[in-house]
């Protein structure tokens, strides 16, 4: 999963790919797939973002104030491959490209068909499916809601809280 994270926390990030979306994502100030608000330097049709298995590609499609990657202005209609950590400026709005590896834990799935279907769907998002829980897991897959008892829900909540607390204390040291 790829993200364009705005440097300004008041703006919304964009995630790629979006399930069911076909073709490039349009970026602009109105009536586009990714709308950048409160920036008058964003053109109505400013840029395009294309998602592929290799990552994201950005292309300026004739914006008035330009599109920049790592300080370099993009030529119009010339695609630029983005990497994690790249700094993107659309008009005067700043973003950072981030790659987030999604990892689904499906230890409770017993049906090989269900695991196969989940693996195919996850692959379309660039995600991995694992059978054992670890600190890297981002999503827990539960095939039957009744398996989620109150005790399990509380244990998961406490584990997440403890993990977040430990992560914060490590980042301060």
């Amino acid at each position: 999963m790829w993200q364009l994270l705005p440097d300004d926390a008041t703006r919304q990030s964009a995630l790629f790919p979006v399930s069911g979306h076909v073709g490039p994502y349009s970026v602009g100030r109105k009536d586009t797939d990714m709308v950048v608000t409160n920036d008058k330097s964003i053109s109505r049709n400013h840029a395009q973002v294309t998602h592929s298995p290799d990552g994201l590609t950005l292309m300026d499609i004739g914006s008035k104030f330009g599109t920049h990657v790592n300080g370099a202005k993009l030529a119009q209609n010339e695609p630029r491959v983005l990497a994690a950590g790249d700094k993107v400026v659309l008009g005067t709005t700043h973003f950072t490209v981030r790659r987030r590896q999604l990892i689904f834990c499906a230890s409770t799935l017993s049906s090989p068909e269900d695991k196969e279907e989940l693996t195919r769907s996850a692959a379309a998002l660039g995600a991995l499916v694992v059978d054992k829980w670890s600190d890297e897991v981002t999503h827990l897959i539960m095939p039957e809601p009744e398996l989620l008892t109150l005790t399990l829900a509380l244990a998961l909540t406490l584990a997440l809280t403890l993990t977040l607390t430990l992560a914060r204390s490590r980042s301060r040291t």
Side-chain angles (χ1 to χ4, degrees), residues 45-101:
N45 293 302
H46 195 99
Q48 285 183 344
V49 176
T50 304
H51 176 265
S52 72
D54 299 326
L56 295 179
T57 302
L58 177 66
M59 183 170 63
D60 186 290
I61 56 172
S63 67
K64 183 175 180 181
F65 292 101
T67 302
H68 298 77
V69 176
N70 298 327
K73 186 174 183 177
L74 298 184
Q76 288 185 12
N77 299 314
E78 290 193 24
R80 165 78 184 265
V81 175
L82 300 176
D86 280 351
K87 302 293 184 181
V88 173
V89 180
L90 302 168
T92 60
T93 303
H94 296 247
F95 295 88
T96 300
V97 178
R98 179 177 172 201
R99 171 122 167 79
R100 172 80 190 236
Q101 181 63 60

Side-chain angles (χ1 to χ4, degrees), residues 1-3 15-17 51 98-102 125-127:
M1 173 89 35
W2 290 88
Q3 288 180 290
L15 298 173
F16 303 97
H51 176 265
R98 179 177 172 201
R99 171 122 167 79
R100 172 80 190 236
Q101 181 63 60
L102 298 179
L125 294 173

Side-chain angles (χ1 to χ4, degrees), residues 16 25 29 33 66 101 108 148 159 167:
F16 303 97
Y25 298 84
R29 76 169 178 264
D33 298 315
Q101 181 63 60
T108 59
L148 185 61

